[in-house]
Amino acid sequence: MNFNRFSRLWSFIHLVDNTSKDPDNLDRLWKVRPIIDIVQKKTQTISPSEHLFCDEQMVPFIGNLDIKQYIRGKPCPWGIKILVLCNADGRVLSFEIYQGKKTNMAEEYKSFGLGAGMVLNLAGRLQLVEFTKLYFDNFFTSLALLERLSEMGLYRTGTIRSNRLQGARLETDSDMKKRGRGSFCEVVASSGDTCLVKWMDNRSVILASNMIGSGAMNKVRRWCKQTKAYLQVDQPQVVSLYNQYMGGVDKMDQMLSYYRTFIRSKKWTMRLIFHMVNLSICNSWLEYIADRKAKAERSMDLLSFHMEIAEALTSAEGMTPRRRGRPRSLTSSEEDEHENVDESASRKRKMKFQRPCSAVKNDAFSHWPQKVKGQSRCKNSPCVLKTRTMCLKCIVPLCLEEDRNCFKEFHIKK
């Protein structure tokens, strides 16, 4: 495909008919809603693990868009915000794109606010078993959310802001600094199912949980500026658990950043479309890794996984693309050099063949045999004989004789 054809096709990418919008449709994302619904439906089929984490994700975009957000501390602070619920290993289970007041949320959860209501909204879409453990940061946490999750039979742990404590009395920061790093205090709600723990490190942090209180003390290493040395500081168990399982969305962001489809476009729709594609690939790779580990088999890295998908998509429904145009004509010096090449040396050159990926090999489409001049060793294991037959799509030599049909065996899914 030449560049002009690619550019023309690129300019006409649409998922819906722009002239058929319903005037009563208030969905800000209606132009890309089909692919969002498809990805949401697929992610919700993934089995949730014991530990789940809810956080914000950003689709990088700095153009003009009314729902564009800024989140300080994110690798890409400007963009489209997505609220994500995922497993501890990064697999996305459910998500919702932020649209301000028009964000999709069940009516019964809107009274909890955006953060807490979205946790309930995302968790409500999944069939979570009792005693599943949820983790979230202070953007989502409120005491009302904790009470509601407790009624649903779910464990929850999260950091909480000091202005959402609803009158709960904890030690002040100045008093805890006098006690030194590693000091903590805790209070229990009158209902007895929620515990607030305040821990002093470089600065204070407050966590709320119905799963565990301060628990057993762990030792963590911290740098002291005064003594210029490392110290052993006490850390409550609830803080250790939160730090252990809080990074699921960050892991997904890291994988997305490795091989993100770069688009130099002012259209927010293109950014969102290809973010959904990249998200699907990373989710699929994590599923693939989990399956390989269960079978104790070797697995591909993320780049190889991307390349195999690209090969399957470009070859699955047609012939392998060939170089366009006629061969380049040789110059006079190249012709002289070509004539002087030793024929015996040219015969010794072996043609290298690369086996196609399984998706292309087993698609049962457009695999045609063709006779070629030279003989090559058959690529259907364990056959070691030489043949003059080659598959036009897979570009590998395969035996096709009366007494052996490696061509058929090679293309059958095993």
Side-chain angles (χ1 to χ4, degrees):
M1 183 186 299
N2 59 33
F3 177 76
N4 291 337
R5 176 170 172 77
F6 177 81
S7 300
R8 187 168 179 81
L9 291 175
W10 183 271
S11 63
F12 288 118
I13 292 180
H14 291 280
L15 303 183
V16 296
D17 184 1
N18 289 349
T19 63
S20 62
K21 182 186 178 183
D22 186 358
D24 298 330
N25 186 3
L26 301 179
D27 185 9
R28 185 65 183 82
L29 306 171
W30 65 277
K31 287 187 176 182
V32 293
R33 181 55 63 182
I35 192 171
I36 293 174
D37 290 342
I38 290 172
V39 177
Q40 278 183 337
K41 184 178 179 181
K42 289 296 182 181
T43 56
Q44 291 171 17
T45 61
I46 299 175
S47 300
S49 63
E50 181 183 0
H51 303 275
L52 307 179
F53 186 74
C54 189
D55 201 0
E56 300 159 303
Q57 185 180 82
M58 296 297 288
V59 180
F61 184 71
I62 58 174
N64 294 326
L65 182 63
D66 56 348
I67 61 174
K68 183 177 64 176
Q69 294 286 300
Y70 173 81
I71 300 181
R72 185 180 62 182
K74 288 287 186 181
C76 301
W78 286 101
I80 303 170
K81 182 167 74 173
I82 306 179
L83 305 169
V84 181
L85 181 66
C86 68
N87 284 335
D89 62 355
R91 280 178 286 179
V92 175
L93 303 175
S94 185
F95 65 90
E96 190 61 55
I97 301 176
Y98 175 76
Q99 303 183 59
K101 294 182 179 180
K102 300 175 184 176
T103 305
N104 292 334
M105 188 187 304
E107 290 293 333
E108 58 179 316
Y109 301 142
K110 289 185 177 181
S111 60
F112 290 87
L114 175 63
M118 191 52 62
V119 173
L120 295 170
N121 196 59
L122 296 177
R125 296 175 181 175
L126 307 175
Q127 296 180 354
L128 299 180
V129 298
E130 196 174 4
F131 306 126
T132 298
K133 301 174 179 63
L134 291 172
Y135 302 85
F136 30 80
D137 60 18
N138 56 23
F139 174 78
F140 302 93
T141 311
S142 68
L143 294 181
L145 170 64
L146 301 180
E147 292 176 1
R148 182 59 179 269
L149 291 175
S150 183
E151 294 174 359
M152 297 168 62
L154 302 176
Y155 289 131
R156 67 273 188 270
T157 300
T159 56
I160 187 170
R161 298 175 184 176
S162 57
N163 59 354
R164 298 182 181 178
L165 299 180
Q166 298 181 2
R169 294 183 179 181
L170 295 169
E171 287 188 39
T172 62
D173 289 354
S174 58
D175 292 339
M176 296 188 71
K177 285 181 179 179
K178 293 177 182 178
R179 294 168 54 191
R181 294 175 68 174
S183 59
F184 72 95
C185 65
E186 62 180 324
V187 296
V188 180
S190 57
S191 58
D193 62 349
T194 301
C195 180
L196 296 176
V197 178
K198 185 175 183 179
W199 178 59
M200 176 60 68
D201 193 9
N202 284 330
R203 57 182 181 178
S204 63
V205 60
I206 306 174
L207 292 98
S209 175
N210 73 333
M211 180 173 57
I212 191 173
S214 58
M217 290 293 111
N218 301 316
K219 293 291 186 180
V220 292
R221 196 171 72 155
R222 294 290 187 268
W223 177 258
C224 180
K225 292 183 179 179
Q226 287 76 19
T227 61
K228 305 294 184 180
Y230 286 102
L231 301 176
Q232 293 294 324
V233 177
D234 290 333
Q235 185 183 69
Q237 189 175 1
V238 64
V239 181
S240 302
L241 285 174
Y242 179 79
N243 290 337
Q244 182 179 356
Y245 297 109
M246 66 170 290
V249 177
D250 294 333
K251 290 180 183 177
M252 175 58 69
D253 288 340
Q254 183 181 12
M255 287 185 291
L256 288 171
S257 66
Y258 288 152
Y259 311 110
R260 190 188 302 274
T261 305
F262 178 74
I263 302 171
R264 193 177 182 86
S265 174
K266 295 182 180 180
K267 296 181 179 179
W268 64 269
T269 53
M270 304 304 296
R271 292 291 181 92
L272 208 49
I273 288 172
F274 284 97
H275 180 81
M276 293 292 109
V277 174
N278 294 329
L279 179 66
S280 301
I281 293 175
C282 291
N283 244 22
S284 301
W285 182 71
L286 290 172
E287 285 283 286
Y288 161 78
I289 291 295
D291 181 67
R292 288 286 178 168
K293 283 184 178 180
K295 297 179 180 179
E297 298 177 355
R298 294 182 62 183
S299 57
M300 293 183 290
D301 58 17
L302 183 56
L303 177 59
S304 301
F305 194 78
H306 270 263
M307 297 299 292
E308 183 156 327
I309 290 175
E311 180 185 352
L313 292 176
T314 54
S315 305
E317 294 188 1
M319 307 295 290
T320 302
R322 305 286 184 175
R323 180 172 293 182
R324 299 183 58 181
R326 60 189 178 89
R328 180 179 67 88
S329 58
L330 300 176
T331 62
S332 57
S333 60
E334 289 175 334
E335 289 178 354
D336 295 338
E337 182 181 353
H338 182 69
E339 291 176 357
N340 296 329
V341 173
D342 186 12
E343 293 183 0
S344 61
S346 62
R347 290 196 193 100
K348 294 180 181 179
R349 294 176 183 172
K350 294 183 179 180
M351 188 174 180
K352 295 182 179 180
F353 300 100
Q354 184 176 0
R355 286 181 174 84
C357 64
S358 58
V360 175
K361 185 179 72 172
N362 302 322
D363 64 356
F365 183 84
S366 194
H367 294 277
W368 299 103
Q370 184 182 29
K371 292 293 183 179
V372 295
K373 292 182 179 179
Q375 285 188 340
S376 301
R377 197 171 301 280
C378 178
K379 297 302 179 182
N380 182 43
S381 180
C383 181
V384 295
L385 300 177
K386 290 188 175 182
T387 179
R388 296 180 183 273
T389 306
M390 183 174 296
C391 177
L392 284 177
K393 183 174 181 179
C394 301
I395 316 296
V396 291
L398 298 165
C399 296
L400 186 58
E401 308 294 341
E402 291 183 2
D403 56 340
R404 62 185 186 278
N405 192 347
C406 296
F407 189 92
K408 179 180 178 181
E409 295 177 2
F410 182 79
H411 295 105
I412 294 177
K413 189 174 182 180
K414 299 177 183 179

